[in-house]
């Protein structure tokens, strides 16, 4: 200010002495921007009676997905290479820690469905109910595609370079099968497809005894002599039909994934589901080229991810694409939402498999992680899989990871996730309290100083009402002489708390630990609290479903409003208008967050209660010292004032020179006779 007379006026600003009281406003506005971005960044829905998507390949061997059949069209009959066969079995015995229920299908030699033991559809099941496979969490549930066909997972589609190896494409043939049994329990299945010229393709799928994963082997055996050393491309789809695992409308699921090695880190590429995908958004390629750390599909809490088990298999990985899959069965169940049939998205990995020479075999080994998105489980299988959890935490993954670690620490001591959230919230507020207190004190003293300086500013305003340039200069001079500028650290605590808020927001949003974690009447902290069931099967704008009465969001809104009521009433007219407008913000966000996770509501309620206690108790016991302190002029401010004075002197000299120059021209004129 004051460096040039052309500068805009330096208008003294009123500041609330208690910056902490503005924090709820800042958080509400920031949360609104975040939620608005989440909503409006989604793909625009578009009415479409889209084609069913079946894995295919284009000329040249590059993986793709092309529309195969219309939802109401008849699907092509598979060639009868072997007897059609479907079987649902339990993989593993009653004493095994890793157990699945799997449905195998001879069509394409695939895995049609998969359920996981140890995690259940409800958190309140007895021991006997937990043994009922219908209560196990579904990891794969193949969609009905076309006229009743269900394309299963681990589907292998031949590329153009694989033409002629088999009587038809392997995905359209029925494969021979043989169950793998050990110690009286079924461990998996071996699918076999006889090709041309003595070539045989074997697909082995069996349970891992160590981790939550399936071991998948592709073996090519050549007993002929006409196909030698030929490299052929196939498209491998590890997971088709990963269902949703949550009712969180802000988390789009399922999501196609590709993990790519980037130095020592894993870069995650994503493609979210889009139920109403237009025709130009039904297939695409992941940007990185050949090679992948893992590929697959996941939902909010579970993942099915394929990776190479050895270097030789990893060398077969080529480009990766994603494709959307139409689910005719879902459309038939929801006739009023017939344009939303793309309920699934898949990842397709191109493999370059070399046909062995006559008399040899080639085996390619894969591991299919099929389990929870829980750090210890994923790290035990492969440390690289943990990158998926960091990806879910987003930009604030560093802060979110630290907060989750603290949250798990508190839960380990207390034994309840709800209490752990409360303790974590208090821990965050207490950690930032000293900085908040210092900032509040600085702003309170600034407000006291402004009350003393304001009469001088008003006097200057009246005196130079008709001279804006002079008014600006005098206002700047008084502000500098009095040192009435706002303290530099006044808003720092607010900016520090915003990343913490977003980190905790993301952590509570995706934390697997909160799934089915109970607290008081809340059965699942990752879901709305659902105190009572209304029986109203309908949704409202902004609110969503009102099938249940959620108590925590209205309580959160009440505390927000109460916290605002406790704040000192501003005297500035503009601030009064702002406060009245902000009174509606809690109500608005109450609608937005009505169906959000109870864990987040619990965090906000605890934070508001701490703020209310700070206003009503702490500040009465320990009042804020708002007395004006003697001004300490540091080197920076002294230098600033010197520059200001130099600028003013330079401006005066310029004005004097212009005046003298004008006078000289006038006096030098010669009047002609």
């Amino acid at each position: 200010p004051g460096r040039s007379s052309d500068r805009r006026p330096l208008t003294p600003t009123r500041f609330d002495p208690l910056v902490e009281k503005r924090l709820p406003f800042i958080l509400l506005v920031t949360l609104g921007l975040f939620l608005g971005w989440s909503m409006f960044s989604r793909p625009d829905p578009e009415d479409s009676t889209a084609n069913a998507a079946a894995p295919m390949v284009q000329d040249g061997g590059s993986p793709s997905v092309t529309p195969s059949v219309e939802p109401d069209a008849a699907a092509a009959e598979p060639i009868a290479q072997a007897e059609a066969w479907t079987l649902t079995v339990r993989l593993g015995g009653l004493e095994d820690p890793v157990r699945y229920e799997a449905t195998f299908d001879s069509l394409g030699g695939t895995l049609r469905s998969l359920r996981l033991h140890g995690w259940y559809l409800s958190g309140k099941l007895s021991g006997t109910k937990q043994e009922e496979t219908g209560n196990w969490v579904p990891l794969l549930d193949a969609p009905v595609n076309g006229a009743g066909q269900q394309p299963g997972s681990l589907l292998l589609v031949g590329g153009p370079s694989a033409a002629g190896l088999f009587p038809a494409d392997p995905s359209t043939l029925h494969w021979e099968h043989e169950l793998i049994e050990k110690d009286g329990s079924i461990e998996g299945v071996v699918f076999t497809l006889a090709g041309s010229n003595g070539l045989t393709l074997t697909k082995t799928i069996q349970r891992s005894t160590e981790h939550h994963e399936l071991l998948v082997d592709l073996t090519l055996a050549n007993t002929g002599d006409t196909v030698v050393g030929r490299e052929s491309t196939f498209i491998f789809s590890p997971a088709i039909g990963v269902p949703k695992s949550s009712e969180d409308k802000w988390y789009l699921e399922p999501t196609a994934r590709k993990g790519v090695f980037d130095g020592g880190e894993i870069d995650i590429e994503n493609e979210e589901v889009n139920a109403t995908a237009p025709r130009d958004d039904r297939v695409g390629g992941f940007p990185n080229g050949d090679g992948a750390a893992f590929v697959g599909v996941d939902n909010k809490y579970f993942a099915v991810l394929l990776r190479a088990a050895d270097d030789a298999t990893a060398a077969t990985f080529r480009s990766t694409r994603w494709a959307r899959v139409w689910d005719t069965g879902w459309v038939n169940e929801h006739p009023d939402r017939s344009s939303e049939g793309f309920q699934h998205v898949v990842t397709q990995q191109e493999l370059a498999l070399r046909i062995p020479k006559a008399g040899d075999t080639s085996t390619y080994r894969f591991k299919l992680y099929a389990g929870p998105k829980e750090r210890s489980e994923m790290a035990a299988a492969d440390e690289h899989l943990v990158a998926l959890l960091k990806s879910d935490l987003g930009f604030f993954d560093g802060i979110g990871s630290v907060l989750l670690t603290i949250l798990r620490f508190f839960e380990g001591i207390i034994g309840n996730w709800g209490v752990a959230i409360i303790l974590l919230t208090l821990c965050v507020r207490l950690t930032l309290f000293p900085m908040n207190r210092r900032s509040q004190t600085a702003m309170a003293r600034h407000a006291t100083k402004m009350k003393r300086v304001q009469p001088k500013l008003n006097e200057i305003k009246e005196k130079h009402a008709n001279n804006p340039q002079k008014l600006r200069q005098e206002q700047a001079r008084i502000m500098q002489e009095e040192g009435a500028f706002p303290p530099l650290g006044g808003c720092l605590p607010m900016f520090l708390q915003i990343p913490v808020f977003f980190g905790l927001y993301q952590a509570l949003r995706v934390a697997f630990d909160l799934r089915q974690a109970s607290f008081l009447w809340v059965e699942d902290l990752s879901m709305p609290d659902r105190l009572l069931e209304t029986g109203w099967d309908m949704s409202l704008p902004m609110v969503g479903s009102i099938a249940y009465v959620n108590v925590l969001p209205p309580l959160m809104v009440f505390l927000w409003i109460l916290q605002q009521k406790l704040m000192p009433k501003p005297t500035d007219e503009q601030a009064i208008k702002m406060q009245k407008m902000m009174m509606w913000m809690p109500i608005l966000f109450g609608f937005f967050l009505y169906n959000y996770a109870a864990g987040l509501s619990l965090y906000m309620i605890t934070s508001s209660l701490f703020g209310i206690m700070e206003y009503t108790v702490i500040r009465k016991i320990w009042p804020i010292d708002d007395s004006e302190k003697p001004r300490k002029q540091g080197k920076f401010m002294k230098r600033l004032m010197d520059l200001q004075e130099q600028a003013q002197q330079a401006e005066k000299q310029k004005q004097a020179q212009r005046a003298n120059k004008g006078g000289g021209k006038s006096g030098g004129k010669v009047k002609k006779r």
Side-chain angles (χ1 to χ4, degrees):
R3 182 173 294 179
S4 170
S5 60
D6 297 330
R7 297 282 183 179
R8 291 184 297 174
L10 178 62
T11 305
T13 306
R14 283 189 174 274
F15 286 86
D16 191 330
L18 304 179
V19 177
E20 174 65 14
K21 297 172 182 177
R22 293 185 177 182
L23 178 60
F25 298 153
I26 299 296
L27 294 182
L28 285 173
V29 172
T30 309
L31 178 60
L33 294 174
F34 183 81
L35 296 179
W37 175 84
S38 299
M39 288 191 299
F40 293 112
S41 64
R42 296 183 184 182
D44 293 331
E46 181 175 312
D47 290 338
S48 169
T49 55
N51 293 344
M56 300 292 288
V57 290
Q58 298 174 335
D59 292 340
S62 60
S64 180
V65 170
T66 57
S68 60
V69 292
E70 297 291 338
D72 56 352
E77 289 293 331
I79 297 177
Q81 179 74 3
E83 183 180 355
W85 169 84
T86 300
L87 182 65
T88 300
V89 296
R90 292 193 183 191
L91 302 182
L94 294 176
E95 302 301 324
D96 291 324
V98 180
R99 295 159 56 193
Y100 297 98
E101 182 195 62
T103 299
F104 297 107
D105 196 325
S106 61
L107 179 59
T110 56
L111 180 63
R112 179 181 292 185
S113 68
L114 187 68
R115 288 181 174 270
L116 175 63
H117 173 262
W119 288 270
Y120 312 99
L121 297 177
S122 172
K124 294 188 174 182
L125 296 177
S126 62
T128 55
K129 289 291 185 180
Q130 290 179 355
E131 289 303 316
E132 296 178 6
T133 54
N135 292 325
W136 296 5
V137 167
L139 300 181
L140 297 170
D141 190 8
V144 177
N145 190 351
Q149 289 192 17
Q150 294 177 270
S153 300
L154 300 175
L155 184 71
L156 197 66
V157 182
S161 58
L165 296 179
F166 303 96
D169 191 275
S171 64
T172 65
L173 297 173
H174 285 284
W175 296 40
E176 298 284 354
H177 67 276
E178 181 180 357
L179 294 177
I180 302 174
E181 297 187 47
K182 180 180 179 181
D183 298 331
S185 64
I186 298 175
E187 298 293 315
V189 65
V190 178
F191 288 110
T192 304
L193 181 65
S196 306
N197 304 312
L199 185 66
T200 301
L201 174 60
T202 301
K203 183 190 300 182
T204 304
I205 307 170
Q206 61 181 330
R207 175 186 70 94
S208 169
T209 58
E210 297 179 356
H211 309 296
H212 285 92
E213 56 189 9
L214 300 176
L215 307 179
V216 182
D217 292 350
L218 296 178
T219 301
L220 288 165
N222 190 3
T223 59
D225 55 5
T226 58
V227 181
V228 179
R230 171 177 167 183
E231 187 176 87
S232 300
T233 58
F234 294 84
I235 308 304
F236 204 22
S237 299
I240 300 178
V242 174
K244 295 181 179 180
S245 63
S246 171
E247 298 177 25
D248 182 359
K249 63 181 179 180
W250 305 109
Y251 190 100
L252 296 180
E253 55 179 346
T255 302
R257 306 277 193 171
K258 178 182 181 181
V260 182
F261 290 107
D262 183 14
E265 301 291 331
I266 300 293
D267 182 34
I268 304 294
E269 299 171 359
N270 312 313
E271 182 60 36
E272 295 174 333
V273 69
N274 182 5
T276 57
R279 292 186 179 275
D280 60 351
D281 186 36
R282 297 177 190 170
V283 58
F286 287 111
N288 280 309
D290 294 356
F294 57 82
V295 296
V297 181
D298 69 298
N299 53 35
K300 187 174 182 180
Y301 293 123
F302 298 91
V304 182
L305 305 170
L306 182 79
R307 66 190 191 281
D310 51 45
D311 293 340
T313 303
T316 67
F317 279 52
R318 298 294 185 263
S319 60
T320 314
R321 294 176 70 88
W322 55 265
R324 310 196 190 283
V325 179
W326 182 271
D327 191 342
T328 303
W330 187 92
V331 173
N332 292 338
E333 294 177 0
H334 304 82
D336 57 327
R337 300 167 64 184
S338 59
S339 65
E340 302 177 24
F342 284 104
Q343 290 292 311
H344 300 277
V345 62
V346 300
T347 303
Q348 297 179 320
Q349 178 61 51
E350 181 184 23
L351 301 177
L353 306 183
R354 182 167 297 279
I355 309 302
K357 63 182 180 180
D360 284 352
T361 61
S362 298
T363 299
Y364 303 94
R365 304 186 183 280
F366 306 86
K367 293 183 178 181
L368 185 73
Y369 180 83
K373 291 167 65 175
E374 200 275 330
R375 177 175 294 272
S376 61
E377 292 287 344
M378 300 185 87
D382 189 334
E383 189 65 35
H384 294 140
L385 300 178
V386 178
L388 189 62
L389 304 181
K390 295 182 180 180
S391 176
D392 275 353
L393 289 173
F395 181 76
F396 297 98
D397 66 291
I399 297 175
S401 298
V402 172
L403 294 175
L404 279 178
T405 301
I406 299 173
L407 186 66
R408 294 188 182 102
F409 171 76
F410 285 135
E411 193 278 335
I413 296 175
I414 304 300
N416 184 278
W417 288 104
V419 178
I421 292 175
I422 294 174
L423 293 177
L424 175 62
T425 308
L426 294 176
C427 182
V428 171
R429 293 299 299 257
L430 289 172
T431 301
L432 296 175
F433 179 79
M435 187 176 295
N436 283 334
R437 182 74 179 190
R438 184 173 182 178
S439 172
Q440 293 161 9
T441 302
M443 294 304 294
R445 291 172 178 173
H446 172 71
T448 301
K449 179 178 291 186
M450 286 302 300
K451 289 179 182 179
R452 179 178 59 80
V453 174
Q454 192 63 44
K456 297 182 181 180
L457 296 173
N458 293 337
E459 182 181 351
I460 293 296
K461 185 176 181 181
E462 293 178 3
K463 183 177 180 180
H464 302 287
N466 298 325
N467 190 344
Q469 180 178 344
K470 188 65 174 179
L471 174 62
R472 290 194 294 268
Q473 292 177 354
E474 289 299 312
Q475 285 178 333
R477 179 183 61 80
I478 292 175
M479 294 289 286
Q480 288 178 355
E481 289 178 353
E482 298 290 345
F485 296 106
L488 295 177
C491 297
L492 182 60
M494 288 188 290
F495 288 108
L496 287 178
Q497 289 181 67
I498 288 175
V500 173
F501 172 79
F502 277 118
L504 189 57
Y505 173 89
Q506 284 292 93
L508 296 180
R509 179 189 187 195
V510 301
F512 183 85
D513 302 302
L514 297 185
R515 180 182 179 272
Q516 296 181 356
S518 61
F519 176 71
L520 299 178
W521 70 87
V522 183
E523 295 185 6
D524 189 341
L525 286 170
S526 69
M527 303 288 292
D529 59 280
R530 295 178 174 177
L531 178 62
L532 297 173
E533 185 174 0
T534 64
W536 300 336
D537 187 14
M538 59 183 296
S539 297
L540 298 178
M542 295 192 303
V543 176
S545 173
I546 56 173
Y548 294 89
V549 174
N550 301 324
V551 177
L552 292 182
L555 177 59
M556 177 178 63
V557 171
F558 170 77
L559 292 175
W560 279 346
I561 296 175
L562 178 60
Q563 194 171 1
Q564 292 187 40
K565 290 289 187 181
L566 293 174
M567 295 179 183
K569 300 298 180 183
T571 57
D572 184 75
E573 182 179 351
Q574 208 59 27
I576 293 175
K577 292 180 180 180
M578 178 63 69
Q579 189 180 60
K580 289 181 178 179
M581 183 183 70
M582 293 298 294
M583 287 294 292
W584 292 97
M585 295 298 290
I587 299 175
L588 178 63
F589 284 108
F591 284 108
F592 277 125
L593 299 176
Y594 181 76
N595 279 301
Y596 204 75
L600 181 65
S601 297
L602 186 59
Y603 159 74
M604 292 182 173
I605 288 171
T606 306
S607 183
S608 296
L609 286 174
F610 183 90
I612 292 172
M613 184 182 70
E614 186 179 0
Y615 299 148
T616 58
V617 179
I618 296 178
R619 288 172 184 167
K620 288 183 179 180
I621 299 174
W622 183 18
I624 290 179
D625 180 12
D626 61 351
S627 59
E628 188 176 351
K629 300 298 181 182
R631 182 183 176 191
K632 294 181 180 180
Q633 184 173 321
K635 294 182 179 180
F636 173 78
M637 292 303 300
K638 186 178 184 304
R639 178 60 177 165
L640 187 64
M641 292 185 65
D642 291 342
L643 291 174
Q644 175 71 17
E645 185 176 353
Q646 292 174 12
Q648 290 177 352
Q649 292 295 332
E651 183 63 26
K652 289 180 181 180
Q653 291 177 4
K654 288 181 181 178
Q655 291 178 358
Q657 290 174 0
R658 285 196 293 266
N660 294 333
K661 189 176 182 180
K665 286 183 179 180
S666 176
K669 290 183 179 179
V670 178
K671 187 175 181 180
K672 293 183 179 180
R673 294 183 179 273

